[in-house]
Amino acid sequence: MKILVTGGTGVVGQAAVSELTKRGHTVRLLSRNADQDSQQWPGGVESWPASVADAEPLRGSAEGCDLVLHVAGIASETPPDVTFENTNVGGTRNIVTEALRAKCGRLIYISSLGADTGNSAYHRSKARAEEIVRGFAGGWTILRPGNVYGPGDDVVSTLLTMVRTLPVIPVIGGGDDEFQPIWVEDLAKIIGETSERTDLHGKSLDLAGEEKTSMNDLLNRLITITGRNPQRIPVPSLLVSAGAALAGLAGIKMPITEEQLTMLREGNIVKIPGSNAVTGVFKLTPTPLDSGLRFLADEQPENLPGEGVGDLRRKLFWADIANSTLSAEDLFERFRTRFGELTPWHMDLEAEPGTPTTLEEGATLTMSLPLRGNIQVRVQELTSRSAVLGTLRGHPLAGAVRFLSEQRGDSLRFEVQAYDRASNPVDWLAMRTVGDTLQSQTWRSLVDAIVAESGGTAPDGVQGEEESLPPDQAERVEEWVRDLVMARKRGEERKTA
């Protein structure tokens, strides 16, 4: 079956595309940057660059498709360009029009739990979109998931980042309003099954995990996972809009918006006993919340260099080692397996319980930094003489660092190559004041430790240089890191196919 998927690059969309391709379906991915976005899957994914809010480029996107999966939507507005009206409502109208034009027989719409009863502007827009879907002449199904949490989601992942990195956490509206989240992989399985069932046509189905939670409860669970216990500061609900606006100017996400607060007050839960379709219709045992949160802790998305602010900086630190008792490969293997021991004392790689301290391909490493809390990197590429680590969401830097061991004539060179820019304006200021100095000291100390590990000497000591890259070179670095991330994702998709 060929399926057009809108919004295939968000938390839900990515998981849905992976599930559909595992089931043997061909996906046509519709997103603004579909040509790049589709590269994270090893095959079975076509691209159609477009926005659901713009009708003309959509024409032809559903041609030859058996089913349209409409995921694209927004949970908060950035007017005047991105609004609930032009995206959630108008975008749905555009997609339904295209599906009808292409004579596509089926449509699945991803709505939201509470869309039929909620009074928030977001829920009202979802309710209007549902009415448009019900006017579709073919077989339609509406899925209404509760808060979907997964790598990079706007609520739970943001709260996780705040617990890891901040000394204090704002708790809005008391923090005791209940909601009923669903793990993204559970929703993806349900989407996959719905795509293959015609008996669900004409149905609107509520979906949620089995456990109800709250902001305070989530904080308690995340504290157990991360080992950090930041102080909680109550924030009156009336200050949510102002606080979110100020945080946005600094490039910092808040764990809840005014719209989401309204939804929580209304009770974003399955209210009618027995109406949760996760167990009642799909017979799926939901992932326990604690298990999902532990998965989430190691699956945050990359902080790509192109997503940061300021100049892209390149820092190089190296030593040419004479009389090493180890070959380039053996020295790098020593570095790989003893990474946690060889890094300087202030990089605590045992900051969270059970996290790895050695370099393995695809592994997520968590470390504690002074004045910054816990941050993460992921091994994007690993060979016998090199490794590339990319920063993840919540890290003060958006970029990557490459470690390289190679023979150069009679000497053995160990080199650290760091390419990064600040993640947001606040981190830019921090890097310019103390962060740059600490970063340079860190890599120099590491190279020093490697020289000692080699059994040789570095007659010229540890050398270094740094510069801001011109736009053309910065673009090449951004593309290099992006390609590494996509290649790792393709490899993981192949393993799970």
Side-chain angles (χ1 to χ4, degrees):
M1 183 161 51
K2 178 172 282 190
I3 303 172
L4 173 68
V5 179
T6 73
T9 57
V11 176
V12 175
Q14 288 189 62
V17 171
S18 295
E19 178 67 23
L20 293 171
T21 55
K22 287 174 190 175
R23 290 172 175 259
H25 303 302
T26 299
V27 169
R28 181 175 293 159
L29 179 68
L30 190 152
S31 67
R32 294 179 186 273
N33 301 302
D35 290 339
Q36 285 184 5
D37 298 335
S38 62
Q39 294 176 20
Q40 65 185 284
W41 291 280
V45 180
E46 304 173 0
S47 61
W48 192 281
S51 165
V52 296
D54 192 352
E56 186 55 34
L58 291 179
R59 186 175 179 83
S61 60
E63 200 71 51
C65 292
D66 306 288
L67 167 68
V68 172
L69 171 61
H70 182 34
V71 182
I74 58 169
S76 59
E77 299 178 294
T78 53
D81 297 327
V82 182
T83 65
F84 293 139
E85 180 63 33
N86 65 23
T87 304
N88 293 354
V89 180
T92 300
R93 184 179 294 111
N94 292 338
I95 286 296
V96 169
T97 299
E98 169 58 18
L100 290 170
R101 186 207 63 79
K103 295 181 172 57
C104 182
R106 300 178 60 209
L107 174 68
I108 299 173
Y109 175 53
I110 306 302
S111 184
S112 176
L113 185 64
D116 54 335
T117 59
N119 291 313
S120 69
Y122 168 72
H123 270 157
R124 291 197 301 270
S125 72
K126 284 292 192 178
R128 290 177 60 196
E130 287 189 7
E131 287 304 311
I132 294 170
V133 170
R134 292 189 183 95
F136 177 63
W140 57 266
T141 306
I142 294 172
L143 301 179
R144 294 181 184 139
N147 182 271
V148 182
Y149 69 107
D153 74 279
D154 287 337
V155 177
V156 181
S157 287
T158 300
L159 197 62
L160 170 63
T161 297
M162 296 177 81
V163 169
R164 278 177 164 153
T165 60
L166 298 181
V168 296
I169 301 288
V171 177
I172 301 166
D176 292 320
D177 293 305
E178 288 188 326
F179 61 105
Q180 201 167 345
I182 180 171
W183 174 238
V184 66
E185 297 294 341
D186 292 344
L187 178 57
K189 291 175 183 176
I190 287 169
I191 290 172
E193 184 173 335
T194 304
S195 73
E196 297 169 354
R197 289 179 60 173
T198 57
D199 63 310
L200 300 178
H201 287 174
K203 296 183 183 295
S204 300
L205 304 172
D206 291 344
L207 308 167
E210 284 190 315
E211 299 164 82
K212 297 173 185 175
T213 187
S214 66
M215 286 297 169
N216 283 328
D217 177 59
L218 277 179
L219 282 171
N220 291 336
R221 294 171 188 260
L222 293 174
I223 285 167
T224 299
I225 292 171
T226 63
R228 298 193 80 245
N229 190 6
Q231 185 177 353
R232 306 181 198 190
I233 298 181
V235 177
S237 303
L238 293 175
L239 299 181
V240 171
S241 294
L246 290 173
L249 290 174
I252 300 171
K253 279 188 176 181
M254 291 286 283
I256 188 170
T257 65
E258 187 174 18
E259 285 297 319
Q260 290 163 333
L261 183 59
T262 300
M263 289 186 277
L264 285 176
R265 284 173 174 164
E266 293 172 348
N268 197 232
I269 59 177
V270 176
K271 297 177 181 178
I272 302 174
S275 64
N276 189 350
V278 173
T279 54
V281 174
F282 297 99
K283 310 302 180 186
L284 177 69
T285 300
T287 299
L289 183 55
D290 278 340
S291 298
L293 292 176
R294 291 188 182 279
F295 290 144
L296 188 71
D298 285 334
E299 295 298 330
Q300 289 303 294
E302 280 73 15
N303 219 11
L304 296 174
E307 299 170 356
V309 299
D311 292 339
L312 184 66
R313 304 277 294 170
R314 175 175 65 191
K315 293 184 176 182
L316 306 179
F317 303 94
W318 71 91
D320 291 318
I321 305 170
N323 304 314
S324 171
T325 60
L326 301 172
S327 67
E329 289 80 6
D330 290 340
L331 180 60
F332 187 81
E333 179 64 10
R334 189 79 63 88
F335 164 72
R336 185 191 70 79
T337 57
R338 299 189 59 208
F339 183 75
E341 301 170 54
L342 295 172
T343 49
W345 64 268
H346 59 266
M347 291 176 62
D348 179 10
L349 268 78
E350 296 180 340
E352 293 184 8
T355 56
T357 59
T358 62
L359 301 184
E360 305 288 347
E361 190 164 4
T364 297
L365 282 70
T366 305
M367 60 193 74
S368 177
L369 293 182
L371 306 177
R372 195 57 172 82
N374 295 356
I375 55 92
Q376 292 183 306
V377 295
R378 181 169 294 131
V379 182
Q380 303 293 347
E381 182 182 62
L382 184 64
T383 73
S384 62
R385 294 188 293 109
S386 68
V388 178
L389 278 59
T391 61
L392 304 187
R393 296 282 173 87
H395 198 291
L397 297 173
V401 58
R402 183 174 186 240
F403 304 100
L404 177 66
S405 175
E406 61 180 352
Q407 195 69 39
R408 290 196 173 189
D410 294 332
S411 298
L412 191 160
R413 172 171 290 192
F414 187 86
E415 185 170 73
V416 178
Q417 306 167 355
Y419 302 88
D420 53 57
R421 48 168 55 103
S423 294
N424 56 55
V426 172
D427 286 324
W428 180 89
L429 181 62
M431 289 302 297
R432 290 299 171 268
T433 52
V434 296
D436 278 337
T437 300
L438 180 62
Q439 183 192 37
S440 296
Q441 290 175 347
T442 296
W443 297 137
R444 286 183 178 276
S445 296
L446 175 62
V447 176
D448 255 337
I450 295 299
V451 173
E453 196 73 15
S454 74
T457 60
D460 297 325
V462 178
Q463 302 180 67
E465 62 181 46
E466 60 181 271
E467 63 176 330
S468 292
L469 297 180
D472 59 329
Q473 291 185 35
E475 187 174 339
R476 287 198 292 272
V477 170
E478 291 169 7
E479 184 177 358
W480 167 63
V481 176
R482 186 174 59 246
D483 287 348
L484 285 179
V485 172
M486 291 298 185
R488 179 190 59 76
K489 289 184 175 181
R490 287 195 298 272
E492 291 182 352
E493 288 289 333
R494 290 191 184 98
K495 292 176 183 177
T496 58

